[in-house]
Amino acid sequence: MLDNRLVKLAENLLSHSVQLGEKESLLIEVRGEGHALAKELVKQAYAKGAYPFVRIIDPTIQRELMMGASEERAAHLMKWEEPMYKDLDTYIVINGPVNDSEMADVPVERRRAHQKVMQELNDFLVSNVRWTLLNYPTAAMAQSANMSTEAFEDFYFDVCSVDYKKMHEAFLPLKDLMDRTDKVRLVGQGTDLRFSIKDIPNVICSGLRNIPDGEIFTAPVRDSVNGTITFNTATSYMGTKFENVRLTFANGKIVEATSNNTEKLNQIFDTDEGARYIGEFAIGVHPYILHPMNDILFDEKIAGSFHFTPGRAYENADNGNRSQIHWDMVNIQRPEYGGGEIWFDDVLIRKDGLFVLPELQGLNPESLKG
C-alpha cells in the first residue's frame, strides 16, 4: 500500500502533527500492522536530520505479557521505559489491529494493576511530549467498517487528508461560545442530561494529536451531571464490546449503568472512585466519518456526534477528576440515528447533527468538505 498517499501522510505527521525538528528524537511505535508507514517515517525523519527509533509490538505477545501482569511487574517495566520516554521529543503511535478482541480474555484485575503503575508515565507523555496517535488501515478495520479493504483504504485517506487548517478556523466561533457557556443540555432518544462547563477550558482538536481528528472537548463540572444518557454506538473497552450503554447520573456520579454486559460494565466503573464520574465532553465534526466502526479514534470524530467520557480528565481541560480509566462513549444525533439536540444556556446550537447558529455552520459537513 506504499503509494503517494502514504508518503503524504508521513509528511503531514512529521511537519504538522509532531513538527519534528533537526536533531530531535522520534519514537515510532507500531502496534500490529503499519510497517510500511513506519519505514517511510524513518526515511523522512533522517531527511530532516532527526533521530528516529522504532518499537514493534506484537499484540499476541502483548496479550501473553498482560496475562501475567502485576504491580510488581509493571514497576520493573516502568524502571526500564521511563528514561526512554522522558528523553523523547516526539512520539508517533501506529495502531494496526489484526484482532480488536486480542485482549478480551485478559482479567480486569491484571489490566488494573498494570494501569495503576503506568499511569504516571502515560500522563507525562500526554503533557510533555509532542505525540500523535493514528490507526493504520487493516483488513480487520475494513471488516469492522463493513467495507472491502480497497474501499476502506480510499475512505481512510479521504479522512486523513481533510483540510485541518480550515477545520481549526471553523472551530474558533464554537470555542468562543463554549468559553462563555455555563449550562449544557443533551436531548435525544433515551437521553436527557444536564451539566455545567462553566470555567472549564475547551480544546480544539484539528490534526495535531490524533489522525483522524475533528472534535472540540472540555469537561463537565465534576458534580454537575444529572439525568440519563443512552449511547447508540457500540464501544469497546478492555477487549470487550459493549452495546446499548445507558447511564444515569446524580450529582455527577453514575448511579446506574446497564448494557448488553451489565456485570462487566460495572466492574470497570468500580475500578476507582473517579471511574463513575465524567472527565470529558466533546463534540465531533469530521465530515467524512459518518458511521461507527467500533474504533474510537474514528467513532469519536463522527459528524453530528458527541462523546461523554467516564474517568480521567485531561490536564488541559481539567475538572479535577482522576481515574485509571478514560472511556469515550459516543452518541450520534443525525436523523438516521434517532436525532437529538444540544443546548447551551437554553439556546439550541445543534439539531439532528447540524449546527443551527449562523456562526457555527462552518462546522457542518458540507462546509468542511468544500
Side-chain angles (χ1 to χ4, degrees), residues 342 347-352 354-361 364:
I342 298 178
V347 175
L348 180 66
I349 70 148
R350 198 179 75 178
K351 182 176 177 60
D352 294 341
L354 294 177
F355 291 96
V356 296
L357 299 181
E359 64 270 27
L360 304 183
Q361 290 178 8
N364 287 333

Side-chain angles (χ1 to χ4, degrees), residues 28-96:
I28 305 161
E29 185 170 288
V30 183
R31 302 174 181 174
E33 297 184 16
H35 295 64
L37 178 57
K39 288 171 65 177
E40 181 61 27
L41 287 167
V42 168
K43 178 181 177 181
Q44 293 191 25
Y46 275 136
K48 287 179 173 288
Y51 306 122
F53 302 87
V54 177
R55 185 182 192 188
I56 306 293
I57 295 179
D58 184 295
T60 62
I61 297 175
Q62 187 67 14
R63 173 193 170 275
E64 197 64 33
L65 288 169
M66 290 300 296
M67 290 296 284
S70 65
E71 288 190 28
E72 182 180 3
R73 188 263 176 187
H76 279 276
L77 180 63
M78 177 88 156
K79 180 176 66 176
W80 295 338
E81 292 195 340
E82 186 173 17
M84 174 183 66
Y85 282 120
K86 289 196 171 179
D87 194 42
L88 285 179
D89 296 300
T90 57
Y91 180 36
I92 295 175
V93 176
I94 303 171
N95 187 37

Side-chain angles (χ1 to χ4, degrees), residues 23 25 63 115 119 133 153 166 174 207 225 234 248 254 268 278 282 287 293 302 342 354:
K23 295 185 178 181
S25 59
R63 173 193 170 275
Q115 290 173 343
Q119 191 62 58
L133 169 67
E153 287 180 5
K166 179 179 180 180
L174 179 56
V225 185
T248 299
I254 298 171
I268 296 171
I278 297 298
M293 45 185 284
I302 291 172
I342 298 178
L354 294 177

